[in-house]
């Protein structure tokens, strides 16, 4: 299991939190995802054998947010 | 048909626009609702015989926004 914290910009409200936690959380291999709205950070715990970091980043991007 | 523009604070993203336009737009008597995110304004065209301004304001409030 790996753990990464991404810097994500454009998250502004509770809907944004739900959009990201919902979409990333649905990915196979993602164990846990939590959004820190105030600091623009998303922490993800995932199994790198089941899902890649790139797939996670792409999922966040697809929701309309910029991943640094 | 009446037309009113409300000052609404706390709207910050596209999800907020959808939340307000969706909920207010579903009210019987509401003909049209449009959110101006940048200026924090919501314009509503409605039939005051079918829905009151208070009901509209309450619906926006229920979505978690402050109506001035």
């Amino acid at each position: 299991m790996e753990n990464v914290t991404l810097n994500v910009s454009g998250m502004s409200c509770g809907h944004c939190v739900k959009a990201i936690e919902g979409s990333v959380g649905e990915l196979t291999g993602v164990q846990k995802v939590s959004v820190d709205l105030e600091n623009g950070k998303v922490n993800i715990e995932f199994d790198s054998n089941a899902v890649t970091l790139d797939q996670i980043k792409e999922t966040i991007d697809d929701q309309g947010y910029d991943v640094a």
Side-chain angles (χ1 to χ4, degrees), chain A:
Chain A
M1 201 63 71
E2 298 194 20
N3 193 299
V4 67
T5 299
L6 300 170
N7 290 303
V8 179
S9 60
M11 305 183 300
S12 57
C13 73
H15 297 111
C16 298
V17 173
K18 281 189 186 173
I20 290 176
E21 290 186 345
S23 59
V24 176
E26 275 179 3
L27 293 172
T28 304
V30 170
Q31 184 82 5
K32 197 176 167 186
V33 49
S34 67
V35 173
D36 178 349
L37 199 58
E38 199 173 333
N39 298 305
K41 292 186 185 300
V42 179
N43 179 266
I44 304 117
E45 200 172 304
F46 66 104
D47 178 357
S48 57
N49 292 317
V51 64
T52 66
L53 185 54
D54 276 350
Q55 287 175 309
I56 292 170
K57 287 180 176 177
E58 199 180 318
T59 299
I60 295 173
D61 186 81
D62 285 348
Q63 292 292 319
Y65 304 98
D66 290 327
V67 185

